[in-house]
Amino acid sequence: MAYQTPTEYIDHHLTFMVKQVGSTSFWSVNFDTVVTSLILGVLGLGFMWLVTRNATPGVPTKKQAFVELCINFINDQVKGIYHGESLWVAPIALTVFVWVTLMNTMDILPVDIVSGALGMLGLDYWRVVPTADVNTTFALALTVFGLMIAYGIKAKGLGGWAKELFVAPFGGNPLLWPFNFAFNMVEFVSKPLSHSLRLFGNIYAGEIIFLLLGMMAAAVVSMSVPGGIIAFLVAAALNLGWAIFHILIVLLQAYIFMMLTIVYIAMGEEHH
């Protein structure tokens, strides 16, 4: 596809493949986000399942050692934060960390090469970074939010959980119930918002920077003046440098999202 302006270039790479469901535009699905997320989930978690299923005692293979390292790392994080009795928190944290890491990593792939390859398959509009879609991060954050509420009700009972909405944190005086409830509602709303937007903002910003560096490279390649090759090499070096730095962001954001998942579930079981 030929781009006439930088705006067209960016618009093309930031356009989702949308599948409309029903007769209204509200019920639409970003098909590329859903398919890419599912493929990465199956590959990443399927790989870990196969390795653990075929694990053997004694000297582990490199793959088994890597998976054991990931599992032990997650278990250590969970033990330091969550002190409840549920055996599901560590698997949930491991799933979140592996899946979000893989989705974030797609941002490091060369955007124009990937877009060109998909274009040859007839997929002119296909965004390969699921976490650069706010729908993905909100879905993950709302799932964690639901788990937090479920764990809270399980630990305190429905009546105890509902009571805390009115008596914490300022006390059980009936005059304070409206203030307690309003405070808790603000806290409830802020958790999924901050949880989702932090991940989305960082990955989306990284995607934009890659696009800007790609436009820089395209601009200097088209230059016919002496020094154009040098300018292109500089742009390519900047792109590579940002990709290397972005690896830290990819892992850090996955780690933060996973840690907040553990923290929110632990907070759900706390008694006030």
Side-chain angles (χ1 to χ4, degrees):
M1 180 176 179
Y3 310 106
Q4 301 298 322
T5 65
T7 300
E8 291 179 356
Y9 174 82
I10 293 178
D11 284 345
H12 175 261
H13 284 297
L14 295 183
T15 300
F16 292 101
M17 177 177 282
V18 178
K19 295 294 184 180
Q20 186 170 318
V21 180
S23 59
T24 63
S25 59
F26 177 79
W27 296 107
S28 58
V29 177
N30 292 341
F31 186 73
D32 43 5
T33 296
V34 173
V35 171
T36 305
S37 300
L38 290 176
I39 292 174
L40 292 175
V42 171
L43 291 178
L45 299 175
F47 166 76
M48 301 194 76
W49 177 78
L50 285 175
V51 172
T52 54
R53 184 169 178 266
N54 298 321
T56 57
V59 180
T61 63
K62 293 181 179 180
K63 290 186 294 185
Q64 183 177 332
F66 172 75
V67 172
E68 289 179 356
L69 179 66
C70 292
I71 293 175
N72 290 333
F73 170 73
I74 299 298
N75 279 331
D76 290 341
Q77 304 305 310
V78 172
K79 289 177 181 178
I81 298 174
Y82 177 75
H83 305 293
E85 299 178 355
S86 175
L87 300 178
W88 286 97
V89 177
I92 290 171
L94 178 64
T95 301
V96 167
F97 181 73
V98 172
W99 201 13
V100 173
T101 297
L102 291 175
M103 289 191 288
N104 290 352
T105 304
M106 299 299 289
D107 201 18
I108 301 176
L109 298 178
V111 60
D112 289 309
I113 295 177
V114 173
S115 178
L118 292 172
M120 290 189 291
L121 298 176
L123 303 174
D124 292 325
Y125 296 98
W126 191 282
R127 293 184 64 178
V128 297
V129 190
T131 43
D133 182 357
V134 72
N135 297 285
T136 301
T137 58
F138 258 110
L140 292 172
L142 288 174
T143 302
V144 173
F145 182 69
L147 288 171
M148 181 190 73
I149 294 176
Y151 271 89
I153 294 175
K154 181 181 178 181
K156 308 166 191 175
L158 180 59
W161 177 82
K163 180 181 177 181
E164 282 192 352
L165 295 178
F166 294 92
V167 302
F170 301 123
N173 191 310
L175 295 176
L176 297 175
W177 288 1
F179 301 100
N180 288 328
F181 184 77
F183 182 88
N184 283 309
M185 288 301 101
V186 170
E187 183 181 359
F188 271 33
V189 171
S190 65
K191 283 178 180 177
L193 278 176
S194 61
H195 201 191
S196 60
L197 294 179
R198 178 185 291 105
L199 176 60
F200 164 73
N202 281 276
I203 303 304
Y204 183 78
E207 188 178 32
I208 292 296
I209 291 176
F210 275 120
L211 292 176
L212 294 176
L213 292 174
M215 285 195 300
M216 180 189 298
V220 296
V221 163
S222 63
M223 294 170 59
S224 58
V225 298
I229 299 298
I230 297 176
F232 168 73
L233 293 176
V234 171
L238 289 174
N239 206 313
L240 177 62
W242 175 246
I244 295 173
F245 176 75
H246 200 55
I247 293 174
L248 300 176
I249 299 176
V250 163
L251 294 174
L252 180 61
Q253 291 304 315
Y255 174 76
I256 292 174
F257 198 93
M258 179 267 295
M259 290 297 289
L260 287 176
T261 298
I262 302 171
V263 169
Y264 289 160
I265 291 176
M267 290 176 64
E269 291 192 358
E270 289 181 353
H271 291 268
H272 297 281

